[in-house]
Amino acid sequence: MLRYVRNFTLNKFTNKKVPYSAQIELTLRCNAMCPFCSIPLIPKRLKSNEMTTHQIISLIDQISELGVNALSFTGGEPTLRKDLPELVYHAGVIHDLMNGIATNGYLMPQFLKEKSRLEGLDYILLSLDYPTAELHDKKRGIKVFDRVMETIALSNKRDISVIISTVVMKDNLQYLENICELAEKLNCSIELFPCEDIIRDHRNFQYKIDNIEDMIPDLSVWAKILHSLRSKYKNILTDPISINVVEKGGFGGAPEYHQTSLRCHVAEAYLFVRYDGFIDYPCKIHPVKSFNTLKNTINNIYYSSEVREIMNQHDTYDFCDNCRLGCAIASSLPTTWKTLHAKYIQGYLKGNLR
């Protein structure tokens, strides 16, 4: 928590801009077939150019030198990388970064059973969309529910925090309280964001789920349920500001509300490095400009005039209208005192955040 306050002070009162968090996409490969995710639509031939272990370790060094607080590994499914323990150790132990993994949990037990593996890991962002194995496994396309439960049990033994990540859809709205109750019993925090209509730009091609509108819940209903659940369950991390931003349509397009309460700061507050070593600005979903971190340093990219110009645009691009990406909202929250307090300080005081 003190790290976020430190970077908030630097960003607010000095000319030194520092990202709050970073994420490295280790792979686009995945062992699940989630119907709301466009990654399975990307052809295999376009997923093969993954960074090497050495290249990723170099990026971790650069991210730490930049002054970033937290680093997480994502995918695809990051546990498909055999070098994951080495990368976690380098980030969490060598550089003492707040360190996490976003995973479906299928392979996590084998990493957690040996105490020396995943040393330096602070938290796991673990997917769980239904409170029963039958429903969750059917939606994810693999028998993973029991492994999610095993991952939570092993993590609790090793004092690794687990944040359950629930993708809210029309057909699981009725189960949200059951999932929150289960998370509480399992000693887990929980985030609950609605699924999104994401068009993924990848090498000049666009990939989109054709029937995603059939899965997206009514945002007003979702918000009402979340506000109610927050009064019952103290482990819910989805904060009132994020709920209001999503319910009212996201960034852009509604300046009378959003651009006075929370502007998008994803370009300056969050570094996302793709599996092939590129960083897209202003964000990973809408690349205006891409930079190759394997040919230029992250420091030079982040402080370049081109990136500064993009940062100053915030959410004024046409594609920002109705954007409610959870990663964009979460990365923007530390940039104002009000939102930093609502999300991180309150979460810390409740014991849900380290």
Side-chain angles (χ1 to χ4, degrees):
M1 175 47 54
L2 292 177
R3 301 182 189 197
Y4 279 87
V5 175
R6 179 201 65 192
N7 279 20
F8 174 82
T9 303
L10 284 172
N11 290 338
K12 194 73 175 176
F13 301 108
T14 74
N15 292 324
K16 176 76 171 177
K17 294 291 184 184
V18 181
Y20 290 90
S21 60
Q23 192 168 68
I24 299 177
E25 180 183 65
L26 296 182
T27 180
L28 282 183
R29 292 175 289 134
C30 189
N31 47 11
M33 289 293 292
C34 306
F36 47 78
C37 179
S38 59
I39 286 180
L41 300 177
I42 301 174
K44 274 188 178 180
R45 69 180 186 277
L46 300 181
K47 300 179 182 180
S48 60
N49 193 26
E50 294 178 5
M51 290 183 286
T52 66
T53 304
H54 176 77
Q55 288 170 332
I56 297 171
I57 284 177
S58 175
L59 290 179
I60 295 171
D61 293 338
Q62 294 176 53
I63 286 168
S64 177
E65 290 168 7
L66 197 61
V68 173
N69 297 311
L71 172 64
S72 59
F73 298 109
T74 186
E77 176 50 48
T79 57
L80 292 173
R81 292 275 306 219
K82 294 181 179 180
D83 57 359
L84 183 61
E86 182 179 356
L87 301 176
V88 168
Y89 183 90
H90 197 78
V93 177
I94 301 300
H95 287 296
D96 193 30
L97 291 165
M98 188 188 305
N99 191 16
I101 298 171
T103 176
N104 60 37
Y106 188 82
L107 296 174
M108 280 303 296
Q110 70 186 52
F111 283 103
L112 291 167
K113 284 177 181 177
E114 296 179 34
K115 191 170 183 179
S116 60
R117 303 194 78 188
L118 298 184
E119 185 179 354
L121 185 65
D122 293 303
Y123 70 93
I124 300 170
L125 188 66
L126 189 62
S127 298
L128 183 64
D129 304 322
Y130 298 86
T132 67
E134 180 184 5
L135 292 170
H136 183 69
D137 292 350
K138 182 179 180 181
K139 184 66 72 172
R140 292 278 167 171
I142 51 174
K143 292 184 178 296
V144 68
F145 183 89
D146 290 342
R147 298 196 185 200
V148 168
M149 295 299 109
E150 186 179 5
T151 295
I152 293 170
L154 291 168
S155 299
N156 283 335
K157 287 181 181 179
R158 291 186 52 178
D159 196 30
I160 297 172
S161 297
V162 174
I163 302 172
I164 288 176
S165 175
T166 297
V167 178
V168 181
M169 297 161 279
K170 285 181 181 178
D171 67 356
N172 68 350
L173 275 171
Q174 60 186 308
Y175 301 112
L176 297 191
E177 181 158 11
N178 303 98
I179 299 171
C180 290
E181 184 179 7
L182 178 61
E184 187 175 66
K185 288 180 180 178
L186 295 171
N187 191 36
C188 299
S189 303
I190 183 169
E191 287 268 28
L192 306 101
F193 278 99
C195 65
E196 302 157 355
D197 182 9
I198 297 176
I199 300 174
R200 188 177 293 269
D201 290 318
H202 189 78
R203 298 187 184 178
N204 299 319
F205 288 92
Q206 291 188 331
Y207 300 92
K208 178 188 176 183
I209 303 297
D210 290 335
N211 63 338
I212 191 68
E213 293 82 8
D214 297 335
M215 289 181 259
I216 297 174
D218 184 300
L219 298 182
S220 295
V221 174
W222 165 82
K224 184 177 180 180
I225 293 173
L226 260 289
H227 284 304
S228 175
L229 290 175
R230 279 182 53 82
S231 67
K232 299 179 183 179
Y233 299 95
K234 304 304 180 186
N235 60 332
I236 296 178
L237 297 179
T238 315
D239 60 279
I241 293 175
S242 297
I243 295 171
N244 288 335
V245 170
V246 171
E247 181 185 11
K248 293 182 181 293
F251 295 116
E256 68 279 4
Y257 178 76
H258 299 295
Q259 294 185 14
T260 58
S261 65
L262 183 65
R263 300 292 301 275
C264 182
H265 287 75
V266 65
E268 68 184 61
Y270 174 63
L271 290 173
F272 182 86
V273 185
R274 291 190 339 223
Y275 76 103
D276 56 4
F278 280 81
I279 293 182
D280 298 322
Y281 282 96
C283 70
K284 62 182 180 181
I285 302 300
H286 300 291
V288 171
K289 183 76 176 179
S290 297
F291 299 86
N292 189 348
T293 65
L294 306 182
K295 294 184 177 180
N296 204 346
T297 67
I298 290 179
N299 184 86
N300 287 345
I301 294 169
Y302 184 76
Y303 291 114
S304 69
S305 58
E306 292 173 287
V307 170
R308 294 283 120 174
E309 184 177 344
I310 292 173
M311 288 179 183
N312 291 334
Q313 298 296 318
H314 293 293
D315 45 15
T316 61
Y317 292 101
D318 289 342
F319 52 69
C320 296
D321 286 357
N322 300 314
C323 174
R324 52 179 178 81
L325 286 173
C327 57
I329 294 171
S331 61
S332 299
L333 288 172
T335 61
T336 73
W337 176 251
K338 178 182 178 181
T339 52
L340 175 70
H341 183 271
K343 177 72 173 185
Y344 293 98
I345 295 179
Q346 287 296 321
Y348 178 80
L349 292 175
K350 288 179 181 178
N352 292 326
L353 296 173
R354 289 174 181 246

